[in-house]
Amino acid sequence: MSRVLLKCLVVALCVSQHRLFAVAGPDVEDGSDDSASTLAFVFDVTGSMYDDLKQVIDGASRILEKTLSRRTRPIKNFLLVPFHDPDIGPVSITTDPEKFQQDLQELFVQGGGDCPEMSVGAIKKALEVSLPGSFIYVFTDARAKDYRLKRDVLQLVQLRQSQVVFVLTGDCGDRSHPGYRVYEEIAATSSGQIFHLDKQQVNEVLKWVEETVQAMKVHLLSSNHDGAQENKWDLPLDPSLREVTISLSGPTPQIELSDPLGRIVGEAQGLTELLNIPNSARVVNLKFPRPGTWKLKVSCSGRHTLRVTGVSNLDFRAGFSSVPVSEFNHTRERPIKGLPAHVMLKCTGLKPPGQLNLLELMSSSGRSLRTMPIQPSSGLQQHGLWRLPEFRTPSQSFFIRVTGKDDEGYRFQRLSSVSYTNVIPGKTTFFQQDTSSDLEHTLLHTSSVCRVNFNLCFFPRVDPPLVSMPDVVNGFYMQPVMIRCSIESPIPYRLRFTRDGVAVGEEKLYQNSALASWEIDHASAEDEGLYECVAQSKAGQGRALTQLTIREPPPVLKPAVNVTSSVGAVAVLSCKVEGSVRHNLTWYRAGRAIGAHTGRSKVLPDSSLQISGVQIQDAGEYHCVATNAHGDSRIIVWLHVPEAPSVVIHPQSRVFSRGEEIRFVCSASGSPPPQLFWSHGNTVAH
């Protein structure tokens, strides 16, 4: 019989705390602003979205780190639009990625139960303030309550050429409802998609977003299908394509890709899976594909959408006019219904002797509606411009696909980033012919047909500009405020802003629909008043009014500073408001407010919280909340109370026979939590 004394050694390890969202700006060159866009998150802040919000906060850090590390940076600013029936906002827009992450962390979900939400109005707000060609991601678990705003949003999508992607963790259970179908229409028009996920899968989509927020993103293929089917596509890939991404959203998605030699491409050949949710979506990516015609086969067991995009400097933009024009800035974003259409194409990244050969109007299902050859235009081609002869546009929405050959003779294919619909004009009107330059300019942009022999011009009547502004604009004292005005007009107009009847700024000329604004750098009570936006065209005048009110801003708390205190000492937790904004400040512990003098706790005159005779149970998080009539701000301050390790071993001794199995239990407590090690004599046991 032998007797052994075992010692339990405890090592307390202090773990340093790191900021969760620290994103270091890499030492790379800034990309050009020519392709700079907005990264926008439109987020539903009802109570049921708590899990989604946590994942979005985590994923945002990775997305920003990835985009900021690229040599050509696709993102110029960041936009956050929270919504919760009946409110939208407050909208946050910043060029500072750390501020964007802070805004996300400060979101808090609340309420719930009302399934339809004000999501379309929030998307509209995001489109209004974001840059053209932006990436907009909508996170919600409900269908739209304000789906009647669909027309405004679709027009803004076509104006902004931005992509809207929906990440849905619910839909109120009825996908035939107009409040859900509006999501499908917005996604289809903007070349976006809808992803249906479980709550825990949001993080997977965000990993895909990391890879797809790219500068020089081009569109190659888009199709939408209402039912289960298998489709095969020829996909010409040219040498300028640095990578290609295939995204299929729908039940049981299957993707098969074959190279120009007919070989199926898999992981061994460089095909990377970015997203795989078995009953919802699959996304794959291929870097530097071999030039040539590839074969793509996809299938789904229900309603589905397919998007194929690439990264390339070879792309095009399309502009419409009703008569031939020689400059791209004389075109507009949409054709006019019932009038002959002329299309001008502006191609970038195509080196001589590269050529555009064919233009096709494509349906939303990827079917060709009409094919037209593209002829070289003398004097235009050297500026990257191609012009097509007059044709009639279809009544349904359509994409534009162009095909050509690059300078090495490789075939390339590009698709417009959004689908197009016709502007619907008013009734037909007769005007006496006028040879003034202003009227000629107006006729040019409405494609009149002049009957010179009868001294008459005949063309569809165009309505006066449609001008809209919010009823009220709220600004904060000594902070920037922007008064926005939306104008819809297919013909040129002059725009001016007035305040209480007096003009502010200079009158400006616009060629077609636009979003204009009047900005005040440091707003004060003197800037309050009635502002009017007035647009004057040859068709008439449109105007809208808004009331600007300036109020005290909500309080902003300085960043939290955590405190470490020993047992028995006095701890002081600091909470300070920036500036001199009036506010009320309250400390909370475990959801309960701490009074001005409660037990060992006392709120000091400078709003700090003092805790006397600190005990182990005082450790943990304390919430500081500053509020006033216009909002609130909150931080979390941690109190750390180190506790020496305490060890208990059972049994303390044991008699045993050789070969017998024995067991000892060692438990320890302390702060920070200690790590346990066993030793026998001078040897550490593993």
Side-chain angles (χ1 to χ4, degrees):
M1 302 290 286
S2 64
R3 195 170 174 174
V4 178
L5 178 64
L6 296 180
K7 291 187 259 180
C8 179
L9 304 181
V10 181
V11 179
L13 302 179
C14 296
V15 181
S16 63
Q17 296 183 350
H18 296 274
R19 289 174 54 198
L20 178 62
F21 289 116
V23 180
D27 186 19
V28 296
E29 299 174 8
D30 279 341
S32 167
D33 280 347
D34 292 346
S35 60
S37 305
T38 299
L39 174 63
F41 283 1
V42 179
F43 200 91
D44 180 353
V45 290
T46 52
S48 57
M49 292 292 289
Y50 177 80
D51 292 336
D52 307 56
L53 176 59
K54 291 299 181 185
Q55 293 179 73
V56 170
I57 290 173
D58 292 340
S61 177
R62 299 193 308 271
I63 294 169
L64 298 180
E65 186 173 3
K66 188 86 172 184
T67 57
L68 295 175
S69 68
R70 293 191 172 108
R71 180 167 293 274
T72 303
R73 296 183 179 177
I75 301 301
K76 184 173 183 180
N77 58 19
F78 308 92
L79 175 66
L80 179 62
V81 185
F83 63 93
H84 182 301
D85 185 27
D87 299 318
I88 297 173
V91 175
S92 169
I93 186 166
T94 179
T95 57
D96 182 357
E98 291 190 358
K99 175 64 166 60
F100 179 61
Q101 292 177 97
Q102 180 183 339
D103 292 339
L104 269 173
Q105 293 180 62
E106 290 178 353
L107 281 182
F108 63 95
V109 295
Q110 55 184 326
D114 182 17
C115 189
E117 292 291 344
M118 306 295 281
S119 48
V120 177
I123 298 168
K124 179 174 180 286
K125 180 66 68 176
L127 286 163
E128 287 172 347
V129 301
S130 60
L131 295 167
S134 291
F135 305 90
I136 299 175
Y137 297 90
V138 183
F139 299 87
T140 183
D141 59 2
R143 65 172 181 252
K145 188 174 188 177
D146 51 353
Y147 55 86
R148 290 179 178 83
L149 293 174
K150 177 184 73 174
R151 177 176 171 272
D152 295 341
V153 169
L154 294 181
Q155 289 179 352
L156 281 168
V157 164
Q158 293 172 336
L159 179 66
R160 289 302 204 199
Q161 308 272 302
S162 293
Q163 184 184 56
V164 184
V165 173
F166 294 85
V167 181
L168 301 184
T169 52
D171 52 31
C172 305
D174 183 2
R175 296 187 185 179
S176 64
H177 191 281
Y180 175 82
R181 296 308 292 260
V182 68
Y183 292 164
E184 293 183 324
E185 291 190 58
I186 294 171
T189 301
S190 68
S191 294
Q193 281 182 291
I194 298 176
F195 293 100
H196 290 276
L197 314 171
D198 294 330
K199 293 284 185 183
Q200 64 271 21
Q201 294 172 328
V202 173
N203 194 45
E204 296 301 312
V205 172
L206 293 172
K207 292 178 183 177
W208 165 70
V209 174
E210 286 180 54
E211 301 296 329
T212 56
V213 176
Q214 293 262 26
M216 299 187 296
K217 182 177 181 178
V218 298
H219 296 261
L220 306 177
L221 175 63
S222 176
S223 69
N224 305 283
H225 304 278
D226 288 332
Q229 63 185 89
E230 179 182 282
N231 288 293
K232 298 179 181 179
W233 311 88
D234 286 340
L235 201 62
L237 303 182
D238 58 275
S240 74
L241 286 163
R242 302 177 189 176
E243 61 181 83
V244 172
T245 300
I246 302 168
S247 176
L248 182 61
S249 175
T252 58
Q254 300 292 327
I255 298 174
E256 183 180 285
L257 184 64
S258 302
D259 68 13
L261 301 179
R263 300 172 300 189
I264 296 177
V265 174
E267 185 177 350
Q269 291 76 38
L271 192 69
T272 303
E273 194 167 68
L274 300 182
L275 180 66
N276 187 3
I277 301 175
N279 204 38
S280 177
R282 187 171 183 224
V283 182
V284 297
N285 175 273
L286 184 67
K287 307 286 187 186
F288 300 103
R290 180 190 186 113
T293 300
W294 292 60
K295 301 285 186 182
L296 175 63
K297 181 169 73 172
V298 299
S299 66
C300 275
S301 61
R303 182 184 298 173
H304 61 283
T305 60
L306 171 68
R307 305 287 183 261
V308 181
T309 61
V311 175
S312 167
N313 64 343
L314 200 168
D315 202 6
F316 79 98
R317 289 174 57 199
F320 298 89
S321 61
S322 301
V323 295
V325 296
S326 57
E327 295 183 35
F328 192 79
N329 61 3
H330 286 168
T331 64
R332 55 180 169 265
E333 293 84 6
R334 301 163 64 193
I336 297 178
K337 183 179 181 180
L339 288 182
H342 293 257
V343 170
M344 176 170 279
L345 303 173
K346 184 176 183 179
C347 191
T348 55
L350 182 60
K351 300 176 182 177
Q355 185 73 257
L356 297 182
N357 303 126
L358 201 66
L359 179 145
E360 292 177 271
L361 307 184
M362 309 295 294
S363 71
S364 62
S365 62
R367 179 173 56 89
S368 179
L369 300 173
R370 183 167 183 175
T371 302
M372 290 166 282
I374 302 175
Q375 302 297 333
S377 305
S378 59
L380 294 178
Q381 194 170 333
Q382 60 181 340
H383 301 294
L385 299 176
W386 276 264
R387 190 166 58 198
L388 275 84
E390 174 185 304
F391 69 96
R392 295 275 178 175
T393 56
S395 58
Q396 68 191 86
S397 64
F398 61 91
F399 289 87
I400 289 181
R401 185 171 75 183
V402 298
T403 306
K405 289 190 175 181
D406 67 9
D407 57 312
E408 299 179 20
Y410 285 101
R411 181 170 170 244
F412 69 86
Q413 184 174 287
R414 297 292 186 270
L415 189 74
S416 59
S417 60
V418 298
S419 67
Y420 302 97
T421 55
N422 296 306
V423 176
I424 301 176
K427 298 178 181 179
T428 302
T429 308
F430 288 90
F431 288 83
Q432 189 70 24
Q433 187 177 359
D434 190 323
T435 58
S436 70
S437 58
D438 283 347
L439 184 55
E440 287 176 0
H441 187 64
T442 301
L443 298 184
L444 174 69
H445 283 268
T446 55
S447 185
S448 62
V449 180
C450 292
R451 292 177 163 182
V452 178
N453 292 341
F454 296 95
N455 200 35
L456 289 173
C457 281
F458 170 77
F459 60 93
R461 179 180 67 81
V462 178
D463 292 332
L466 177 61
V467 182
S468 59
M469 300 176 80
D471 293 334
V472 177
V473 174
N474 294 312
F476 293 130
Y477 180 70
M478 297 310 293
Q479 293 186 15
V481 63
M482 190 171 293
I483 300 170
R484 293 184 174 88
C485 177
S486 173
I487 309 98
E488 293 183 31
S489 175
I491 63 174
Y493 57 92
R494 293 191 174 274
L495 182 74
R496 69 180 185 273
F497 284 91
T498 67
R499 172 177 170 262
D500 295 332
V502 179
V504 293
E506 297 180 355
E507 187 176 73
K508 294 184 179 180
L509 175 65
Y510 290 83
Q511 298 298 326
N512 44 37
S513 300
L515 296 168
S517 62
W518 174 253
E519 187 170 0
I520 303 170
D521 292 332
H522 300 93
S524 67
E526 296 177 355
D527 297 306
E528 290 185 328
L530 202 60
Y531 286 77
E532 186 173 30
C533 178
V534 183
Q536 179 73 55
S537 73
K538 289 295 181 181
Q541 186 182 85
R543 56 179 64 211
L545 290 167
T546 188
Q547 178 72 41
L548 174 64
T549 60
I550 304 299
R551 60 189 186 182
E552 196 172 45
V556 176
L557 289 173
K558 293 182 178 180
V561 177
N562 297 330
V563 176
T564 299
S565 176
S566 58
V567 173
V570 176
V572 177
L573 282 58
S574 178
C575 182
K576 297 186 181 299
V577 173
E578 295 182 352
S580 57
V581 177
R582 289 174 296 182
H583 65 277
N584 293 317
L585 190 143
T586 308
W587 284 93
Y588 291 88
R589 167 78 162 158
R592 294 185 177 182
I594 301 174
H597 201 299
T598 305
R600 294 176 291 104
S601 301
K602 180 173 68 174
V603 179
L604 301 178
D606 66 349
S607 298
S608 298
L609 178 64
Q610 176 181 293
I611 303 173
S612 302
V614 171
Q615 301 176 8
I616 294 297
Q617 58 266 33
D618 294 329
E621 62 182 41
Y622 291 76
H623 293 247
C624 177
V625 181
T627 62
N628 65 15
H630 309 298
D632 62 51
S633 179
R634 57 191 65 211
I635 60 171
I636 298 175
V637 182
W638 281 87
L639 173 60
H640 301 283
V641 183
E643 179 188 3
S646 174
V647 182
V648 176
I649 186 169
H650 180 78
Q652 294 186 351
S653 64
R654 174 75 181 270
V655 177
F656 60 91
S657 303
R658 182 181 297 275
E660 181 184 354
E661 180 179 297
I662 60 173
R663 177 168 299 185
F664 292 88
V665 177
C666 179
S667 59
S669 62
S671 178
Q675 245 181 344
L676 302 180
F677 296 91
W678 287 94
S679 73
H680 179 202
N682 295 322
T683 305
V684 176
H686 296 283

